RNA sequence: GGCGCCAUCGUCUAGGGGUUAGGACAGGUGGUUCUCAGCCAUCAGACCGGGGUUCGAAUCCCCGUGGCGCUACCA
């Protein structure tokens, strides 16, 4: 049996799309499973819309995802070049061959003429296919039109009768009647090939054995098979995989949310989480397994288990899966992935020293369970880095208003100052002791403290996060909170009584004025 | 309009002539904890409709309906 050769053939007219990634993935899995070749070919024949930046982006993103190719840009191979823009003479050669054999003909219709005739056909309720206007021109007529300076395209002569059978690995045989196809263009007036033509020539020349692509291409396939036949090429086998849709059932597009893989990369999705999630869109194992290692996925993947109906892209499930992979990840590895996000915020310097790294590691440990994407770290851990963090106004109103709060904070401050060793265990023991002595439930004691230290109601364990902050910073934050409460008249200072132990005024050194933020997410 | 593809919980799906139609995400409830997250337990939720075939249809066949795609000098 001959070696499996499949390809992914994106056109660089935009950022690599999630749907494109899924197509690339299925091709890659198929190749790897069968120990065949995965080829990357850039279909940049649309000169107007193709951009160099997008080529770079496609290549970078595929690399990031780990979908490595055996032939193509950056690698080379025996069947190159792998950019269609560098193969124009090849397409011309084959077009000439078809011309010579009478299987194609020059068409001199202008776009304007075509448009008008198409409109007319539509008005009359006829199918809007090319009417064969130039199909049977005599040599003299052609020469006349040439002399008039008319530009020509090359059209493929579709037989008027008969049918084309597409053998699809997923859907079985699908038949199309030739007569509904219409003579389509294979070479544009500027000499570049159209998709259907370049695709066939390249797939043949690159010895592609199986074309795996979105099922939006199924209706194009009869045209391509006709070209194979005209050129005396053996067509490959086909597998048209279901498309990915948005929530409303329409083809996935920007209005459903982000569709470019670049977005997910920047947001902090792990490449394998994306791959794993995408593999489940249209494919499954008999036991509906959710998580796969790379080796497992390659081993278990098969086209037979690819479904036929389109799948809705579920952002939430992707997010969940990403979070799962983050939680399962080694903390050290995760911390290193988080650093770029901290740098972007200016929270850590370009060169991370070992003390800073130690802190980042601890923070990573504490926030790991809460991360859904890597960039979440920015919102979750800001208080570790921002000395001047804002207090969630809702949290303040809800938890710091009570009379006992100031005496509690002052008490904690005193005890913390005197702590022989400032670590998690001592902290916990002391804080529990204080809450007991003040006859406060741990909840009542710890919530205000958490807000004093972080500005918010949710987050990692109190002792853990305090330990990371360090004694000095904890004391400073308590002072800062006391000051803030004093200004607001909260926490017992508004009781009207003279300065008693419950008051927030007096005592401490005046810290810088604290900001009160508008209520944000707790 | 023509042609084509598709159809199981809200979503991804398993299953497939006789099943309590299974799992995952999301949602609800309870528990654990200083909060959140997590974790554990638990609940709710589906075979598009109609005909056939059959003792029996969600499963096979046909029709309908719906969704999507193609019908370009885009790919």
């Amino acid at each position: 049996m001959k070696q499996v050769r499949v390809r992914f053939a994106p056109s660089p007219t935009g950022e690599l799309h999630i749907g494109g990634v899924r197509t690339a993935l299925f091709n890659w899995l198929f190749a790897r499973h069968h120990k065949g070749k995965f080829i990357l070919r850039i279909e940049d024949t649309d000169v107007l819309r193709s951009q160099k930046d997008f080529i770079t982006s496609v290549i970078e993103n595929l690399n990031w995802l780990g979908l490595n190719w055996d032939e193509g840009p950056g690698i080379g191979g025996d069947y190159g070049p792998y950019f269609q823009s560098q193969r124009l003479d090849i397409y011309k050669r084959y077009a000439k061959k078809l011309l010579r054999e009478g299987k194609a003909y020059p068409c001199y219709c202008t776009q304007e003429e075509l448009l008008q005739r198409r409109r007319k056909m539509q008005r009359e309720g006829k199918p809007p296919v090319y009417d064969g206007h130039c199909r049977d021109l005599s040599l003299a007529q052609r020469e006349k039109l040439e002399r008039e300076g008319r530009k020509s395209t090359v059209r493929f002569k579709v037989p008027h009768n008969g049918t084309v059978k597409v053998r699809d690995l997923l859907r079985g045989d699908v038949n199309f009647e030739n007569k509904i196809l219409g003579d389509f263009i294979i070479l544009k007036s500027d000499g570049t090939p159209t998709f259907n033509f370049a695709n066939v020539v390249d797939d043949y020349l690159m010895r592609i054995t199986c074309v795996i692509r979105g099922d939006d291409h199924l209706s194009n396939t009869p045209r391509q098979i006709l070209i194979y036949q005209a050129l005396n090429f053996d067509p490959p086998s086909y597998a048209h995989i279901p498309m990915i849709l948005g929530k409303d059932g329409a083809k996935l597009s920007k209005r459903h949310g982000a569709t470019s893989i670049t977005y997910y990369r920047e947001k902090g999705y792990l490449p394998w989480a994306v791959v794993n999630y995408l593999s489940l869109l249209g494919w499954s194992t008999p036991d509906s397994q959710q998580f796969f290692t790379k080796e497992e996925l390659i081993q278990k993947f098969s086209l037979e288990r690819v479904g036929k109906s389109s799948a809705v892209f579920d952002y939430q499930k992707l997010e969940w899966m990403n979070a799962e992979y983050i939680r399962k990840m080694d903390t050290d590895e995760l911390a290193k992935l988080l650093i770029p996000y901290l740098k972007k915020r200016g929270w850590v310097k370009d060169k991370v020293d070992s003390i800073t790294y130690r802190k980042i590691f601890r923070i990573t440990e504490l926030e790991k369970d809460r991360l859904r994407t890597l960039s979440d770290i920015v919102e979750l851990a800001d208080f570790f880095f921002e000395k001047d963090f804002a207090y969630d106004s809702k949290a303040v109103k809800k938890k710091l208003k009570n009379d006992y709060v100031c005496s509690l904070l002052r008490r904690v401050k005193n005890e913390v100052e005197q702590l022989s060793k400032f670590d998690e265990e001592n902290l916990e023991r002391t804080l529990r002791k204080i809450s007991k002595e003040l006859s406060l439930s741990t909840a009542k004691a710890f919530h205000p403290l958490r807000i004093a230290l972080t500005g918010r109601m949710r987050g990692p364990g109190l002792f853990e996060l305090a330990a990371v902050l360090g004694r000095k910073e904890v004391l400073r934050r308590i002072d800062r909170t006391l000051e803030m409460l004093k200004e607001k008249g909260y926490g017992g200072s508004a009781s009207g009584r003279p300065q008693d132990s419950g008051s927030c005024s007096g005592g401490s050194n005046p810290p810088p004025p604290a900001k009160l933020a508008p209520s944000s997410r707790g």
Side-chain angles (χ1 to χ4, degrees), chain A residues 488-505:
Chain A
K488 295 208 63 129
Y490 280 174
S493 60
S495 64
R497 280 170 286 162
Q499 294 192 359
D500 59 18
S501 61
S503 167
C504 283
S505 42

Side-chain angles (χ1 to χ4, degrees), chain A residues 163-176 209-213 217-218 221-222 224-226 228-229 235-241 303:
Chain A
T163 59
V164 191
K165 178 184 285 183
V166 178
R167 312 206 85 128
D168 189 278
L169 263 28
L170 267 53
R171 290 152 216 279
D173 291 352
V174 185
N175 294 298
F176 295 86
T209 59
C210 184
V211 170
I212 303 171
R213 65 197 348 176
H217 286 293
L218 184 57
T221 312
Q224 297 176 11
I225 289 182
L226 250 17
Y228 277 103
Q229 288 170 353
S237 53
Y238 292 93
H240 287 94
I241 61 178
L303 284 178

Side-chain angles (χ1 to χ4, degrees), chain A residues 320-331:
Chain A
W320 161 78
M321 186 161 273
N322 198 55
E324 286 286 315
Y325 272 108
I326 286 177
R327 278 194 285 274
K328 278 186 272 187
M329 193 185 272
D330 175 67
T331 304

Side-chain angles (χ1 to χ4, degrees), chain A residues 24-38:
Chain A
L25 171 62
F26 280 23
N27 274 284
W28 179 81
L29 286 170
F30 186 74
R32 295 293 170 257
H33 180 88
H34 292 285
K35 309 229 181 304
K37 300 285 185 211
F38 176 56

